[in-house]
Amino acid sequence: MKKINEILVVMIFILTAVLAAAVCFKAYDVYDTNRRLAKEQEEMEVHRVFVRNQEAQNRVMEMEAEIQELTGDVTGLEQLIARIQSGGQTGSVSQDYMEEPTVSANRTVSENVSVSGNGTVSGNGTVSGNATVSGNATISGNSTVSGNGTVSGNAAISDKGTVSGNATVSGSYSVSGNFPPFMPDGVSDNGEINYYDGSMTESSIFDAWRGIYEQPDGMSLEQRRELRTSFQETLEVNQSDRERIAENKYDFSGLKIACLGDSITAAANLENEEGYQQYSYPARLKELLGAEEVYNLGIGGSSIGRYWSDPYVDRYREIPEDVDVIIVMGGTNDGFCVSDKEFGNLEERAYRTYCGDLDELMRGLRENYPDAEIFFVTPLPNILQDYLMNERDYLLPQQDFVDVIRILAQEYDYEVIDLYNSNILDSHDANVVAEYIPDGVHGSHAGYQVMAEHFAAEIIEYYEENTEDEAGTEEINDTKEDMESEESGRAEEEPDLDEKNGTEEEVDSEKKNSMEEESESAGKSGTEEDTETAGSGIEEDMEWE
């Protein structure tokens, strides 16, 4: 009976083990199935996002072509941009434009608050005494344009007898048929004329208006737009940048720079031109700084995050290990792709989200390139983002992407070149599109040159400031060392405290001995004198007797 009980216990134990194994196997099978399904679901979602983003990129290319067709037509560009910003549908807009109003053949156009937004202001005897004459396609054929508060932001100011006595003549596409607006004979006695003549001298003509451009740090794009057009801002900032480059004294000949970016970095829109890479901003930057090497790591269509092609976060390790400066310019394609889900947030910083992947990129650069100076560049504001957002309501405004770049760059102590809030090369300005950004997002030869000059000026300023800080630190250290050296010298000149005490004791002892000897000598001398005195007295007494 005992043996039977033992057999039953063993059988029960075996059955329990088998059941436990079956339960575990079933649980693992459920887990594996769920994991496999989740992975398949994730892959399907990633595929869906990629298909959606491919459609968006194709639409962007159509928009670029549409804008490029209007590059020579500033009026058409202005109307297209206005319709996009108002949220209206466009399509083949250039043929649907209404005729612009015309102000022409009048003896006098004067004392109006504003003469602006007209297709043509021409054939008038006098255009004067107006607060503003701006935003017109053409101001031409007038006898006199004078005495106005501001004459600015016009596509052309040409064929006039006189342009004079105006408070400001600036940011116009052409003054007397010149571009940039040099100082023609007919433009005179104006309070302010902003122009660039290409010359670099120690005493620049632009010193007079530097105070006008200098603005508080941290101004937003909207605040800058209230002060001047992007075209005006681009001209003025570019002049300032060129002067800084001309005045540079820092030696960049040993510097190696890597530029990580998208089609704007690659200058991919110029790829049909032979040797187009020479016009890209990295190539121009190398020439401007005289750097040893500048690596162009731009790939067309590339995004920062993993929701689109060639993400920066997966390829930044292509940057050579010995670079001194890394410039990361991105966010444009992310803006064309990302919904709120792919954008993520800074609390979670999840994988395959803009916030998470950008954080991983910045952390990876810090860990793998600890000695490099790293600059993050915010994307230029572009009209295509607004255009695409009108059609795709899941897209987010560019400002969201810019804010995350600035916040994370501050966390990692990176420098930021804030193109977005600079108000330069903004394709919401038709004159900027006509001259610098022909398809609304990529640069022309001139556009990439302006971009390169701005980056060069920012890098020069950074190195000059750091050189001054290092020089100040060295001066403080030298002063400290001199003071320590002086104190050490004085300490060597002064005897040791024990030696000094010993010397003082010896001096005191010698003085004491000397005084005792003098005292003994004085006492002995006194005794002899007393004896002599006493003897002399006895002799006198004996003689007396």
Side-chain angles (χ1 to χ4, degrees), residues 129-201:
N130 304 290
T132 304
V133 181
S134 62
N136 304 289
T138 305
I139 301 179
S140 62
N142 304 292
S143 299
T144 305
V145 180
S146 63
N148 302 289
T150 302
V151 182
S152 63
N154 304 289
I157 303 176
S158 58
D159 302 324
K160 283 153 297 304
T162 306
V163 180
S164 63
N166 304 290
T168 304
V169 181
S170 62
S172 300
Y173 184 73
S174 175
V175 178
S176 295
N178 300 291
F179 181 80
F182 299 110
M183 192 175 285
D185 294 337
V187 181
S188 60
D189 297 324
N190 300 289
E192 177 196 338
I193 301 176
N194 295 344
Y195 68 97
Y196 166 64
D197 65 359
S199 63
M200 294 292 148
T201 62

Side-chain angles (χ1 to χ4, degrees), residues 11-26:
M11 291 180 65
I12 292 170
F13 177 79
I14 293 171
L15 288 172
T16 302
V18 170
L19 288 172
V23 170
C24 290
F25 180 78
K26 181 64 176 177

Side-chain angles (χ1 to χ4, degrees), residues 223-240:
Q223 289 172 322
R224 292 185 186 277
R225 281 173 172 170
E226 290 177 2
L227 297 177
R228 56 179 57 80
T229 67
S230 178
F231 187 76
Q232 291 172 308
E233 193 101 49
T234 301
L235 290 176
E236 294 179 0
V237 170
N238 183 240
Q239 171 60 25
S240 178

